[in-house]
């Protein structure tokens, strides 16, 4: 077990290794997530490399939804929110495809899980959504071809589930990806349904949501233009 005195000497790689191994092994013992969150804050998330940051995010989410203790879920929120803030400040252009996917998936799944079970521990939208947009932009700039079909489906779901998918910049490269017969046939049914559902969410939001409440909307309501 990890005691406070030992945690004080841990570096980013130590924290990410501990979290990843605990999540990968599906450890069902209570873990000192609050100590890890505290140590990460002491180090500052600026010291975490993209791989370390994305692993910590994915593992923290994975462990948090299993643990469910008040102190643990507050620690997970703290880690995810601080990591998202670092992405918002640093950007994600140096992230590999798997780093982008793991980071986006952890943020989106944590937000969704908190809403479904009624935990009042969601990350703040003003931190989470800009981070997701930056991750999506980095994925687009680096080329969607880096992602396998199920990875791209998960990434699009993560961004769309938090209303952060912008069709104007993301649509054309996404269309080019699915136009490839080789890529299209590689989608399994679940991945294809997830991708279509994500696009449907965005289309529904564009068509039905009141323009005045749409994020950064430039559409003028028809009644006010007359």
């Amino acid at each position: 077990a990890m005691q406070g005195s030992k945690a004080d000497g841990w570096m980013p790689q130590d924290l990410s290794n501990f979290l990843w191994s605990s999540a990968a092994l599906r450890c069902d013992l209570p873990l000192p997530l609050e100590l890890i969150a505290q140590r990460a804050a002491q180090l500052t998330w600026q010291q975490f490399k993209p791989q370390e940051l994305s692993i910590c995010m994915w593992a923290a989410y994975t462990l948090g939804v299993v643990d469910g203790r008040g102190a643990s879920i507050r620690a997970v929120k703290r880690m995810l929110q601080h990591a998202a803030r670092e992405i918002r400040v640093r950007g994600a252009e140096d992230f590999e495809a798997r780093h982008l996917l793991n980071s986006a998936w952890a943020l989106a799944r944590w937000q969704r899980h908190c809403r479904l079970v009624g935990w009042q521990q969601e990350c703040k939208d003003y931190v989470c959504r800009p981070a997701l947009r930056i991750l999506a932009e980095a994925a687009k700039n680096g080329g969607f071809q880096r992602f396998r079909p199920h990875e791209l489906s998960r990434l699009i779901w993560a961004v769309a589930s938090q209303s952060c998918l912008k069709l104007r910049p993301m649509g054309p490269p996404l269309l080019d990806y699915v136009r490839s017969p080789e890529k299209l046939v590689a989608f399994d049914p679940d991945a294809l349904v997830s991708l279509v559902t994500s696009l449907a969410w965005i289309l529904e939001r564009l068509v039905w949501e009141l323009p005045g409440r749409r994020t950064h909307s430039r559409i003028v309501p028809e009644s006010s233009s007359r």
Side-chain angles (χ1 to χ4, degrees), residues 3-117:
Q3 302 299 323
S5 59
K6 294 181 180 179
D8 290 341
W10 282 21
M11 300 305 290
Q13 186 175 359
D14 302 317
L15 296 176
S16 63
N17 286 345
F18 178 81
L19 287 171
W20 178 85
S21 59
S22 299
L25 293 172
R26 300 184 182 274
C27 181
D28 56 0
L29 296 175
L31 296 172
L33 296 178
E34 58 273 22
L35 290 178
I36 298 176
Q38 180 180 347
R39 177 56 181 163
Q42 290 172 347
L43 289 169
T44 73
W45 288 89
Q46 293 177 340
Q47 295 192 43
F48 286 72
K49 298 176 182 177
Q51 180 178 7
E52 296 165 345
L53 186 143
S54 65
I55 286 175
C56 285
M57 294 176 73
W58 173 82
Y61 151 73
T62 303
L63 294 168
V65 298
V66 173
D67 191 318
R69 293 175 301 142
S72 293
I73 61 178
R74 287 191 294 272
V76 171
K77 175 189 176 179
R78 183 182 181 187
M79 284 189 279
L80 289 177
Q81 189 149 291
H82 287 183
R85 185 178 290 115
E86 176 61 23
I87 291 172
R88 187 181 66 176
V89 172
R90 180 200 303 184
E93 295 300 329
D94 57 342
F95 281 39
E96 296 178 11
R98 58 198 173 100
H99 305 153
L100 297 169
L101 173 59
N102 287 339
S103 301
W105 185 253
L107 282 174
R109 291 294 296 180
W110 179 254
Q111 298 294 86
R112 186 171 178 82
H113 186 77
C114 286
R115 292 166 189 162
L116 287 175
V117 302

